[in-house]
Amino acid sequence: VIAFFTPKVLAGKQVLLTAGPTFEAIDPVRGITNLSSGRMGYALARAARQAGAAVTLVSGPTGLPCPVGVARIDVTSALEMHGAVLSRAAASDVFIAVAAVADYRPAAPETRKIKKTAAGGEAMTLALTRNPDILSDVAALPAPPYCVGFAAESHDLAQYAEAKRVNKKLPLVVGNLIGDGFGGDSNKVILFDASGAHPLATTSKHGIARDIVARIAAALAG
Ligand code: CTP
Ligand code: CA
């Protein structure tokens, strides 16, 4: 019902999103991941679809059902997510990076299960290597899509969110303080763009998603 009455402000647009965590293998039975339910990214994919866009959702492991009408590409690691996104980004009008991407991955994942006797006894050191920044790489394309980043911070939200917007060369960053809404169904968010900080009224994740889609559509229109 909502879909039917939603203005088709993104009709004819290709929207690409990332959502959920990534999982970086240590060995066949262990890995490093981030806490992310994926719900905000899935709500945005749904809202973009309801606004008339053709939507591709590159998703880490979430267990969530794919929103109706959305093409989902399942990935596990940050490197897989990077490949899936970069092969599609140039053909997209909008890229929304909602995923909680692991910043580091094990430098040399083991193909066989690590035994604690072989790992070093009472202490073990795991070498990590930096993952590529998917959002920065998309924003640096010669003709980038309209790029939206997320900044979930435990403190100093405005400074960190605005720094991410400038450093990653993004027109829009969605900031939220973790603690208000992380893992729950609602969220308190502030939009950061070139004109400053714009708090959204607290509503459900679906309400926030619709507000963000409306902002993106307005930016594309003019
Ligand atoms: N992001 C990404 N690829 C990465 C890391 C982050 O695409 N390897 C995206 C996230 O999806 C989010 C934005 O960049 O939209 C900000 O992510 P965040 O983790 O908050 O920022 P970082 O630049 O990784 O900085 P830090 O974790 O040190 O705060
Ligand atoms: Ca990070």
Side-chain angles (χ1 to χ4, degrees):
V1 178
I2 285 171
F4 184 80
F5 291 107
T6 302
K8 299 294 179 269
V9 289
L10 291 179
K13 302 294 185 192
Q14 297 273 346
V15 175
L16 180 65
L17 304 96
T18 62
T22 67
F23 179 90
E24 314 296 325
I26 295 171
D27 73 10
V29 295
R30 304 183 179 97
I32 297 174
T33 191
N34 283 328
L35 288 179
S36 169
S37 70
R39 282 193 289 241
M40 189 69 237
Y42 277 59
L44 265 164
R46 190 175 94 146
R49 176 67 196 140
Q50 290 178 344
V55 179
T56 302
L57 176 61
V58 178
S59 179
T62 65
L64 296 175
C66 185
V68 173
V70 168
R72 185 172 67 178
I73 296 155
D74 290 312
V75 297
T76 302
S77 67
L79 286 179
E80 285 170 18
M81 184 175 277
H82 185 268
V85 167
L86 269 291
S87 67
R88 293 168 177 86
S92 302
D93 300 294
V94 177
F95 174 56
I96 313 176
V98 198
V101 183
D103 291 325
Y104 295 90
R105 66 180 179 278
E110 297 289 343
T111 54
R112 304 174 71 188
K113 185 183 173 191
I114 298 168
K115 301 306 291 181
K116 64 177 180 276
T117 45
E122 292 304 311
M124 173 188 174
T125 301
L126 186 63
L128 302 178
T129 191
R130 258 291 264 285
N131 274 324
D133 189 315
I134 301 166
L135 178 54
S136 292
D137 285 356
V138 172
L141 289 172
Y146 183 87
C147 287
V148 182
F150 272 69
E153 306 289 348
S154 60
H155 59 283
D156 296 326
L157 173 64
Q159 293 89 317
Y160 285 128
E162 182 60 14
K164 281 171 188 173
R165 196 181 74 77
V166 171
N167 294 337
K168 297 186 193 226
K169 300 184 166 46
L170 311 173
L172 182 64
V173 164
V174 181
N176 78 288
L177 267 182
I178 61 174
D180 340 319
F182 219 56
D185 188 50
S186 75
N187 240 344
K188 184 183 260 174
V189 309
I190 305 176
L191 303 187
F192 296 86
D193 65 15
S195 73
H198 313 280
L200 291 184
T202 305
T203 60
S204 68
K205 281 195 163 95
H206 287 293
I208 290 165
R210 285 194 290 271
D211 288 352
I212 293 169
V213 162
R215 282 274 175 167
I216 293 169
L220 291 182

